[in-house]
Amino acid sequence: MKKSVLLVMGWLLICLSLPAQTPQGGRPRGEGRRFTAEEMAKRTTEWMVAELNLTAAQTAPVDSVNRLFAQAQQILFQSAEGDRGKLRETMTALNQEKEKALSNILTEEQLELYKKKVAERAPNRRRQR
């Protein structure tokens, strides 16, 4: 009887610890790994190419804009010193500047789709935190 109880307890312990392992995405949960500005820009460009159907001529300028603003964003995070209010204000302004820069590259339809997709992603990002 004792052996079977210990066996069941051991099995439960193993089963409960499995979700704590690395998920399929490759990043361990709760590790808090931050992406570099280059990685963020690359991911954003890949997302925009897939979602907005960018042409080959648009991809390079969009990538440049994404790199520039990812670097600025990283600097803002480092200089905010935990002041979320200050960070929120400056990030809003930065995102508006990025949108202006993208408006010179994207078509009207792509820009509207970009705004819509970014608005859809915002609640998901808040839930992930």
Side-chain angles (χ1 to χ4, degrees):
M1 180 72 171
K2 274 187 174 178
K3 286 183 180 181
S4 62
V5 170
L6 288 175
L7 184 65
V8 169
M9 298 268 296
W11 183 78
L12 280 173
L13 195 70
I14 290 171
C15 289
L16 292 175
S17 69
L18 286 177
Q21 303 303 316
T22 303
Q24 285 183 337
R27 234 174 56 169
R29 290 186 183 145
E31 188 172 287
R33 178 185 176 279
R34 299 278 182 213
F35 291 107
T36 65
E38 289 292 317
E39 291 170 330
M40 287 190 323
K42 181 181 176 189
R43 288 170 52 108
T44 302
T45 301
E46 289 171 354
W47 174 80
M48 291 177 75
V49 167
E51 295 292 327
L52 305 178
N53 298 319
L54 298 181
T55 64
Q58 290 174 314
T59 303
V62 164
D63 188 51
S64 296
V65 168
N66 286 333
R67 286 179 194 280
L68 177 71
F69 282 92
Q71 290 168 349
Q73 184 179 30
Q74 192 172 42
I75 292 168
L76 284 175
F77 281 137
Q78 292 169 349
S79 66
E81 299 172 353
D83 185 359
R84 288 184 176 260
K86 176 183 172 186
L87 183 62
R88 187 177 301 116
E89 290 174 13
T90 52
M91 286 299 294
T92 301
L94 185 66
N95 287 332
Q96 289 172 349
E97 288 297 317
K98 180 179 179 180
E99 197 172 292
K100 281 183 194 175
L102 290 173
S103 69
N104 296 327
I105 302 166
L106 303 177
T107 65
E108 287 293 321
E109 296 82 22
Q110 288 172 323
L111 187 61
E112 289 303 314
L113 184 59
Y114 171 77
K115 290 177 186 179
K116 179 183 169 195
K117 296 281 185 180
V118 167
E120 288 173 359
R121 291 174 65 182
N124 294 335
R125 288 185 176 195
R126 289 186 193 111
R127 266 193 303 240
Q128 288 174 354
R129 294 180 193 150

